Amino acid sequence: MRRVRFYEYGGPEVLRLEQAPTPEPGPGELLVRTEAIGVTLPSVRKVRGEGDRAPLPGVLGGEIAGQVVAVGPQTTGFTVGDRVTSLTFTGSYADMVLAPSHMASRIPDDAGCVQAVALVRSGHVALGALSTAKVTAAESVLVTGAAGGVGHLAVQLAKIQGIKRVVAAVSSPGKADFLRDLGADEVVIYDSDHWGEPVDVVLDGVGGELLTRAVAALKPGGRLIFFNSGGGTVPAFDLLAGSKTITGFTMARFAGTQRELYDRHHGQLWQLHQTGRLRAAVHAEIPMSDAASAHEIIEARANIGKVVLRP
């Protein structure tokens, strides 16, 4: 089989397509022949060596969709031939991927693998972040990275939940029409002097230098849900003075500790998508052999919706 790895840290050019043995599924694992692989900002940052550096050679996790070709021992609920999508923590850029069965779910018969990758993991993050924030309809929400894979779903899901004011924060004005079409009440640009009236909740998918501005966008008593890989530092006094809070959110912990809610979210995502109320936008489908081009799109913040690799 083919896989993509990197042997040094750097830009998209360090990604290497290589041959490798097909892995064997262990207990609780599925071996999936991939048909679609999601590209995420955390993967791009990992290749750059940002944050905690894992040992080289580097492998990338993320999300995949495809067909089960083998089931590991002591693994129940799936059979060979099932079409599934799954969050995978390592080795996602490959023809064959080991997927933890507890993170996998079946793809409806009338849905494709590309749409599954665009919808499921990103939709789960968006719904999980909204759930963690405990947003009410009377409140307001600002979403950073609003045109990205998670962000554009979070904007829609916030409006579906009846939240009165949803603000989309993006890197460039060219994304504004797309987000207004999805229901955003306001669109703000990162480098603008003013982001409008403060909000009750920020869903932050960007972090880094943007984090201080995201905290500043909160009303007194506001809360920020931090689900990005960009890090960032906020002076404790900024939180104390405004009685603001930051809560970290990871999909793995959410799925592991709130399984009933996770499963309910899964059904909700597909129902909303199949009835046309939730749009999972795909910016580009790119051959896995050209994974560098996919990373270039994400690095340039040029994507509107999900970037997907096709093996």
Side-chain angles (χ1 to χ4, degrees):
M1 72 163 198
R2 301 169 305 154
R3 68 184 179 193
V4 175
R5 284 190 170 191
F6 56 99
Y7 290 82
E8 59 183 310
Y9 294 107
E13 72 281 353
V14 304
L15 295 174
R16 297 285 180 265
L17 185 71
E18 62 184 26
Q19 293 293 324
T22 299
E24 294 278 343
E29 292 182 326
L30 307 172
L31 180 63
V32 179
R33 178 184 293 112
T34 56
E35 295 181 32
I37 302 161
V39 181
T40 65
L41 182 58
S43 291
V44 171
R45 285 172 165 161
K46 184 174 182 179
V47 174
R48 283 285 182 189
E50 298 176 10
D52 293 334
R53 292 191 171 193
L56 294 172
V59 294
L60 297 169
E63 59 224 308
I64 56 98
Q67 187 174 62
V68 176
V69 296
V71 177
Q74 304 167 35
T75 305
T76 60
F78 297 94
T79 61
V80 171
D82 286 344
R83 296 166 65 246
V84 300
T85 183
S86 180
L87 180 64
T88 49
F89 301 106
T90 185
S92 301
Y93 288 24
D95 292 319
M96 299 285 187
V97 173
L98 294 175
S101 62
H102 70 281
M103 299 299 295
S105 56
R106 287 183 179 81
I107 300 171
D109 292 340
D110 59 350
C113 285
V114 170
Q115 282 298 307
V117 162
L119 175 71
V120 177
R121 179 260 179 190
S122 296
H124 270 299
V125 173
L127 274 179
L130 285 165
S131 174
T132 300
K134 296 180 171 57
V135 191
T136 68
E139 292 185 308
S140 53
V141 173
L142 183 145
V143 181
T144 67
V150 175
H152 84 287
L153 296 177
V155 168
Q156 295 174 79
L157 289 165
K159 294 306 294 183
I160 288 169
Q161 291 182 7
I163 294 170
K164 67 174 184 177
R165 177 177 169 239
V166 177
V167 183
V170 291
S171 59
S172 64
K175 300 175 180 180
D177 288 344
F178 167 72
L179 288 159
R180 290 194 181 96
D181 185 56
L182 295 182
D185 300 294
E186 302 168 31
V187 179
V188 299
I189 312 304
Y190 296 151
D191 59 5
S192 298
D193 292 336
H194 188 52
W195 282 9
E197 293 300 313
V199 297
D200 297 288
V201 170
V202 170
L203 306 183
D204 182 25
V206 178
E209 294 180 358
L210 201 68
L211 179 59
T212 54
R213 294 213 65 185
V215 170
L218 288 169
K219 294 179 180 178
R223 55 238 190 245
L224 183 146
I225 308 302
F226 187 84
F227 61 89
N228 70 79
S229 62
T233 303
V234 177
F237 184 78
D238 289 356
L239 303 179
L240 175 65
S243 298
K244 301 174 182 180
T245 59
I246 296 177
T247 301
F249 175 87
T250 63
M251 196 65 252
R253 177 169 174 76
F254 183 80
T257 60
Q258 300 189 56
R259 188 69 200 192
E260 183 178 343
L261 181 56
Y262 177 87
D263 291 340
R264 190 159 69 245
H265 282 177
H266 185 78
Q268 182 181 355
L269 288 168
W270 278 116
Q271 190 272 336
L272 289 170
H273 178 67
Q274 292 174 315
T275 57
R277 297 183 64 197
L278 181 63
R279 173 185 169 192
V282 177
H283 178 87
E285 298 178 37
I286 296 172
M288 186 178 71
S289 58
D290 192 19
S293 291
H295 277 229
E296 287 171 0
I297 292 170
I298 301 292
E299 284 205 353
R301 304 292 196 272
N303 60 303
I304 295 178
K306 194 71 179 176
V307 176
V308 178
L309 295 177
R310 299 297 301 270

